[in-house]
Amino acid sequence: MSPFKGGVHPPEEKALVRDRAIEDFPLGARYSVPVQQHLGAPARAIVKAGDAVRKGQALSEPQGYVSVPVHAPTSGTVKGVAKVVHPVTGLLSPGVIIEADGKDEWAEGLPLRRDPFAMDKGELLEAIRGAGIVGMGGATFPTHVKLNPPEGKTIGTLIINGVECEPYLSSDHRLMVEEPERVLKGIQVAMRVLGLDRAVLAIEANKPDAIRVMREKAPGEITVSPLSVKYPQGSEKQLIKALTGREVPSGGLPMDVGTVVQNCGTCAAIWDACSAGVPLIERITSVTGRGVRNPKNIRVRVGTLLRDVIDFCGGLDGAAKIIFGGPMMGIAQFTQDIPVMKGTSGILVLTEKDADIGGYSPCISCGRCVEACPMGLIPSTLSRLGERDLWQAARKSGLTDCMECGCCTYVCPARRPIVHFIRHLKALSRSAGSKQAKGA
Amino acid sequence: MLIATLVVGAIGAVCALILGISLVTFAVKMDAREKEVVEMLPGANCGACGFAGCAALAHEITVNPEAPMACPAVKEDTIKAIAALLERDMGSLEPAVACVRCKGGPQEAPSRYEYVGPRDCRSAQLVAGGPKVCQYGCLGMGSCVTVCLFDAMAMGEDGLPHVNIDTCTGCGKCVEACPRGIIALVPKTGTYCVSCISEDAPKDMKKICSVGCIKCGICADVCPFEAITAEKGKAALIDQDRCRKCGLCTGVCPVSVITGRTVPEKARIIPGACIGCGICEQVCPTEAVSGRAKEPYSVDPGTCIGCGLCLAKCPADAIERYNA
């Protein structure tokens, strides 16, 4: 039986880095840390040019509840708060430029030695927020908000997402194989915050070594659940459907069906934050694709420039497209002068053959996208509405339910950029909405 | 054959009778003038008036004696005709036209990546904020041209949209369509606008565009009507309510970023009425007025820019405008 409707089976391409052990990226000379690395209210830089900073020191101050700080990746001097290209929006946005002094000294008091299992819920949430932890699967939603559901929402199930269904990427895979304790301890802390006594760790069946390691190490209250291989198995709603049989209502959140989903990398960061007070200043990321000479899995500081990462991996070789994230949902980049962020789960370098850049033709109504859509939408109709700017009609056809997983675009024989049309409609709908709000 | 003809004929007659009765009984009572008004309106149903279409506006202005003529697309004489038909004052809208506030085509302002998606500016804007290096500049994919209902816009060879002032009705569809807010409406009588909205510092802007506003503020200094504001970190902006279409700014702008069509109007002094006070000579920004005290002054049409400053200041109402 299929765990959820629709979905596709793109070539996995994970063999490029799947079996390569995590390498530590050497300390760089210069870091550029974007202030906005989360979804939600902006944060404000609190350092200025000339300030001396130490590793783990906060560089920004959150503005509002759904907001987190960023921290210095190493010790050094602040060169300024400059406008730098933001890898997600592509626009110039404030980033703290730090020149490393090479000493890599921790900020005062770090790392701490404390027992998270002796801390109460409020202290743990504060530690998680203070460490600037966001969803590390790529969506970068602040974790403390997700772990603190509002009054009236009962959470019964904690799901840990170790699915990593995007082709090419293996960062979560390597983390689970090489550092299972961090992940498992982090899951236990998350359970403590939510007041739960069990959790499910979901791993796609194409990572047998991760499943084996996790089964060996996991305590009784954490069930390791292998899932069939299908994209987008790692999407929250599809994951919940596959594991619990519950369907998140349209416009709803996982908490509406009593679940919270956390990425396994986020759990490892939660453990570091709660046990040692170490903020989220580094992550594991896969540098992969046939356009880079030596694909690797690296542990890299947030703020490291893409250019340096590419150099470390032997440089480019016939690269046509660089993507932050995976090939299905990642974001194409136009420059190498951008930093690695908290949500950079992978750096994918595609060759011209793999990138397959080209034009598109009219919809032939074959219906393949309808079969592929995991949300039960009719992408062909939405794409045609997109060509005509008809966002009102699109809203009636479930526009806002689309999570932009890319299955429709992947299967389209006319090579139509369906997700792009849908994003266009969403943007039109948003701007009409904000205009209305202004008028009222 | 005969029976069939009769039967069909009879059915037809009955139907015609029913239709005839319902035409009278269920007739929608409509002001006869409303139909005429609809015919006088442009018929583009662009929605710029705020109503669902031309028919809806026609209904409103016919039944509601207070409703103003909200259509920006009709010409002055049409408004007069509608006013005559409805036997009331319709007021008048100052006709406006669209102005594209960017001069940086692909030659002057380069791109930072190759965009291969749908040819639509709003679509392109979604991909990393648009391919152009300048975050304020025209993306050049012609969304404004596509939405124009009056064929008043076209993409030029320079990769930028151009407005045909004669056919543009100032409906504002293009203003809405532009994802970067580059298009503004300006009065048709003098289309002065600063063709740049960049908020980049001049030194940063110069690296990415050779034709943008350098924020020097000379235009603001020279404007006799304080119609131009040159705030720090923003391109100069012309306040259309204050602008008197003198065109002084276009002449002094070192980067020629201010565009506009000068109204061929000049000032002249009525010799009989002039009291020879000399105020006009003092206020004239171009030193076009000359004369001796207590004697009638005169204006040099070659130097006069038609700004109208002297008209406003003349204590004897001795200056008039004329079409040169």
Side-chain angles (χ1 to χ4, degrees):
Chain A
M1 201 195 92
S2 180
F4 62 91
K5 185 201 163 301
V8 291
H9 293 93
E12 284 178 25
E13 303 284 6
K14 295 206 189 244
L16 284 166
V17 284
R18 185 171 54 203
D19 300 319
R20 303 203 180 193
I22 301 167
E23 284 181 50
D24 282 324
F25 189 86
L27 191 65
R30 211 176 161 86
Y31 292 89
S32 158
V33 186
V35 174
Q36 184 82 12
Q37 295 198 39
H38 59 270
L39 270 186
R44 191 170 50 88
I46 48 168
V47 289
K48 56 183 188 310
D51 286 1
V53 290
R54 288 167 77 179
K55 184 176 169 185
Q57 183 184 333
L59 300 175
S60 69
E61 193 179 70
Q63 309 276 303
Y65 178 63
V66 188
S67 185
V68 292
V70 293
H71 300 82
T74 185
S75 59
T77 319
V78 175
K79 286 313 228 176
V81 183
K83 294 250 174 188
V84 293
V85 174
H86 194 281
V88 175
T89 62
L91 302 174
L92 297 174
S93 69
V96 180
I97 313 291
I98 295 172
E99 205 169 70
D101 58 11
K103 292 182 204 149
D104 206 24
E105 282 175 327
W106 278 104
E108 188 103 16
L110 287 180
L112 303 167
R113 292 180 135 265
R114 60 183 174 191
D115 180 14
F117 300 105
M119 291 160 77
D120 66 21
K121 181 184 168 182
E123 286 169 342
L124 288 171
L125 281 173
E126 202 37 59
I128 291 168
R129 186 184 189 202
I133 296 179
V134 296
M136 288 168 74
T140 67
F141 190 76
T143 299
H144 67 276
V145 183
K146 251 181 154 180
L147 287 179
N148 192 17
E151 295 276 324
K153 298 276 179 198
T154 337
I155 301 300
T157 318
L158 171 64
I159 298 172
I160 306 306
N161 191 346
V163 175
E164 201 160 53
C165 60
E166 275 268 8
Y168 287 95
L169 308 186
S170 286
S171 56
D172 287 348
H173 181 185
R174 291 316 304 176
L175 172 72
M176 287 188 287
V177 170
E178 293 183 40
E179 295 165 8
E181 287 83 9
R182 277 175 75 212
V183 178
L184 292 169
K185 290 265 175 56
I187 298 173
Q188 285 170 314
V189 174
M191 283 159 60
R192 185 176 169 80
V193 173
L194 290 165
L196 295 176
D197 55 6
R198 58 194 195 87
V200 185
L201 171 59
I203 307 174
E204 228 175 25
N206 60 1
K207 301 180 234 325
D209 46 349
I211 295 170
R212 201 186 57 241
V213 170
M214 280 301 179
R215 282 208 164 134
E216 272 168 24
K217 307 267 181 183
E221 67 257 35
I222 301 174
T223 319
V224 178
S225 179
L227 292 173
S228 60
V229 180
K230 182 159 89 165
Y231 180 87
Q233 183 67 266
S235 153
E236 268 189 349
K237 290 176 184 173
Q238 276 58 40
L239 192 55
I240 292 168
K241 181 80 170 63
L243 285 172
T244 67
R246 295 175 215 159
E247 201 166 293
V248 179
S250 170
L253 292 168
M255 64 168 87
D256 295 327
V257 291
T259 53
V260 165
V261 182
Q262 288 292 349
N263 171 268
C264 60
T266 315
C267 289
I270 289 175
W271 173 249
D272 296 347
C274 295
S275 67
V278 171
L280 180 50
I281 53 168
E282 62 181 14
R283 67 159 297 139
I284 294 160
T285 192
S286 297
V287 187
T288 178
R290 274 177 275 274
V292 64
R293 280 210 179 79
N294 307 316
K296 286 176 182 177
N297 291 303
I298 53 170
R299 186 192 316 276
V300 64
R301 302 272 166 93
V302 168
T304 308
L305 289 180
L306 173 60
R307 190 176 297 283
D308 300 339
V309 173
I310 298 282
D311 283 349
F312 181 68
C313 297
L316 298 175
D317 181 20
K321 196 174 190 179
I322 301 180
I323 298 171
F324 266 26
M328 298 297 279
M329 290 191 74
I331 298 163
Q333 304 296 335
F334 58 86
T335 167
Q336 288 190 44
D337 295 315
I338 44 166
V340 170
M341 308 237 292
K342 291 176 182 175
T344 309
S345 51
I347 295 167
L348 176 59
V349 188
L350 295 175
T351 56
E352 196 152 336
K353 181 171 160 280
D354 292 335
D356 200 16
I357 298 161
Y360 62 96
S361 51
C363 174
I364 54 166
S365 300
C366 66
R368 284 190 214 175
C369 54
V370 181
E371 271 170 36
C373 180
M375 298 304 289
L377 304 174
I378 308 175
S380 53
T381 302
L382 290 171
S383 86
R384 277 178 289 190
L385 292 171
E387 279 177 301
R388 290 166 186 72
D389 304 342
L390 298 171
W391 57 269
Q392 295 99 328
R395 277 185 74 107
K396 286 180 195 143
S397 306
L399 175 67
T400 47
D401 283 338
C402 173
M403 53 170 175
E404 304 171 19
C405 67
C407 289
C408 50
T409 311
Y410 177 75
V411 297
C412 181
R415 302 153 59 93
R416 290 169 67 76
I418 305 179
V419 172
H420 189 83
F421 283 126
I422 290 176
R423 292 184 60 209
H424 173 60
L425 287 166
K426 283 182 179 173
L428 289 179
S429 165
R430 261 198 312 273
S431 76
S434 65
K435 241 179 244 167
Q436 234 165 31
K438 249 185 235 167
Chain B
M1 178 65 194
L2 180 71
I3 297 172
T5 314
L6 287 175
V7 169
V8 173
I11 293 172
V14 172
C15 291
L17 190 70
I18 296 171
L19 279 174
I21 294 168
S22 43
L23 185 69
V24 179
T25 336
F26 301 115
V28 178
K29 288 193 181 58
M30 186 170 142
D31 196 323
R33 298 175 302 176
E34 193 177 318
K35 215 173 148 194
E36 285 184 59
V37 175
V38 173
E39 276 163 17
M40 280 191 259
L41 292 175
N45 295 321
C46 68
C49 56
F51 291 94
C54 294
L57 173 68
H59 177 75
E60 183 65 23
I61 56 178
T62 315
V63 299
N64 180 3
E66 298 294 313
M69 181 67 211
C71 178
V74 287
K75 299 230 157 51
E76 191 65 26
D77 44 351
T78 314
I79 298 181
K80 277 188 192 137
I82 295 174
L85 179 75
L86 299 176
E87 294 167 343
R88 70 182 178 92
D89 182 27
M90 298 300 298
S92 70
L93 281 173
E94 184 166 19
V97 289
C99 172
V100 181
R101 295 184 292 173
C102 177
K103 291 181 86 177
Q107 297 298 319
E108 298 84 12
S111 291
R112 47 186 191 170
Y113 65 86
E114 186 194 355
Y115 171 76
V116 293
R119 300 295 293 173
D120 180 285
C121 303
R122 292 160 297 184
S123 247
Q125 177 82 11
L126 292 175
V127 182
K132 197 159 242 185
V133 184
C134 174
Q135 288 186 18
Y136 305 92
C138 174
L139 291 167
M141 289 178 202
S143 287
C144 49
V145 176
T146 317
V147 298
C148 181
L149 295 160
F150 300 95
D151 271 340
M153 287 188 103
M155 293 304 292
E157 275 174 18
D158 55 359
L160 295 170
H162 291 271
V163 182
N164 180 344
I165 296 180
D166 298 321
T167 42
C168 177
T169 60
C171 70
K173 278 272 165 195
C174 51
V175 177
E176 252 173 57
C178 180
R180 295 188 157 187
I182 291 167
I183 306 179
L185 292 179
V186 296
K188 198 171 184 170
T189 47
T191 57
Y192 287 95
C193 69
V194 181
S195 296
C196 178
I197 55 167
S198 171
E199 293 180 11
D200 286 334
K203 69 173 187 340
D204 299 332
M205 194 271 297
K206 271 290 168 195
K207 283 181 210 150
I208 55 177
C209 176
S210 56
V211 292
C213 171
I214 54 169
K215 300 150 186 91
C216 62
I218 295 180
C219 53
D221 290 342
V222 84
C223 178
F225 314 104
E226 292 173 1
I228 308 184
T229 43
E231 270 176 56
K232 198 167 177 271
K234 276 188 181 168
L237 188 71
I238 300 179
D239 179 349
Q240 298 295 346
D241 291 335
R242 292 183 151 205
C243 174
R244 301 277 282 274
K245 343 288 180 210
C246 68
L248 268 183
C249 49
T250 55
V252 298
C253 178
V255 286
S256 303
V257 75
I258 308 182
T259 54
R261 188 168 71 165
T262 313
V263 193
E265 260 193 353
K266 307 275 180 193
R268 69 177 162 209
I269 292 168
I270 308 160
C274 180
I275 53 169
C277 66
I279 291 178
C280 48
E281 189 183 1
Q282 287 166 20
V283 299
C284 181
T286 58
E287 295 178 6
V289 188
S290 55
R292 269 203 238 146
K294 308 231 170 123
E295 282 171 36
Y297 278 67
S298 64
V299 182
D300 172 18
T303 345
C304 174
I305 52 169
C307 68
L309 258 189
C310 50
L311 258 84
K313 296 283 179 189
C314 179
D317 286 337
I319 310 178
E320 62 178 4
R321 275 178 195 259
Y322 67 104
N323 281 332

